[in-house]
Amino acid sequence: MVDDDSPQGVLLSGEENVAVRIRLEREARGWSTTALSDRLNDAGFEMNPSAVWRIENRKRRINLDEAIGFAEVFGLDLRNLVGPPQLAAKARAMELIDAVVDAFRASQRANAAYTQATEALSAYLDEHPDIREEADVMVSNAIAEASTKHLLETYGPPPGESRDAGSANEA
């Protein structure tokens, strides 16, 4: 039978995540509910030890201001406090997950901007067919140059070539 208090392998709701995380953070620091309550009060977030215990044991809901207070006292980002406890306890994992999601969102925005720009250029060139060939060559060359630069920065020069050889051609 699974222990209901065990956070391992369970994706709980945000509020339950916070309750589990508060207990984990408090215990990791060796603080009593009174010590945590004192720290919350010192930081301007009024809470008594009984309320801390009730939140940890899911007998009382936590409001946003209180969650912010706990995050501040523990020195955590609020997103980290609300995340799944097993991942959230590994702050670096949460940072990396956030970075992956942020990069994905940025790539989606970049893809949308690229699509919009190419559609706008194509529409313009439909109205000005006399410059289409020259514009297509310019776009192809610029994309090839940007791709080459990115590949060199990411992977370095191909075997047998040095970085200096490429930069000598640019000078």
Side-chain angles (χ1 to χ4, degrees):
M1 185 156 110
V2 176
D3 179 6
D4 287 345
D5 290 336
S6 172
Q8 296 183 17
V10 178
L11 293 178
L12 305 170
S13 71
E15 199 164 6
E16 289 181 82
N17 287 345
V18 173
V20 170
R21 185 66 188 279
I22 289 168
R23 177 181 284 168
L24 290 172
E25 291 295 330
R26 180 182 61 75
E27 289 175 348
R29 290 166 173 75
W31 297 346
S32 64
T33 55
T34 301
L36 178 52
S37 169
D38 290 345
R39 284 176 170 79
L40 286 164
N41 293 329
D42 289 346
F45 300 94
E46 297 299 317
M47 185 168 298
N48 62 46
S50 174
V52 172
W53 184 91
R54 289 192 322 267
I55 289 169
E56 287 182 357
N57 290 282
R58 300 180 199 119
K59 306 288 185 206
R60 176 185 179 282
R61 297 191 72 170
I62 185 170
N63 69 42
L64 180 58
D65 290 336
E66 292 167 341
I68 291 168
F70 282 107
E72 184 176 311
V73 166
F74 292 136
L76 301 171
D77 182 271
L78 186 58
R79 285 172 58 179
N80 190 297
L81 182 70
V82 175
Q86 288 304 317
L87 287 178
K90 309 271 189 246
R92 182 67 178 141
M94 291 301 289
E95 290 171 11
L96 293 171
I97 289 167
D98 287 345
V100 167
V101 172
D102 290 345
F104 173 77
R105 288 178 179 145
S107 72
Q108 294 298 98
R109 286 189 300 274
N111 284 333
Y114 174 77
T115 299
Q116 185 177 9
T118 56
E119 288 173 354
L121 177 60
S122 181
Y124 181 84
L125 294 176
D126 286 345
E127 295 172 7
H128 301 89
D130 55 310
I131 62 169
R132 178 175 291 281
E133 187 174 330
E134 186 177 354
D136 287 344
V137 168
M138 287 180 68
V139 168
S140 294
N141 287 344
I143 289 174
E145 185 179 320
S147 295
T148 300
K149 181 179 177 184
H150 171 73
L151 289 171
L152 285 171
E153 289 172 354
T154 303
Y155 302 106
E161 285 187 28
S162 69
R163 284 191 190 266
D164 295 336
S167 45
N169 292 340
E170 292 174 7

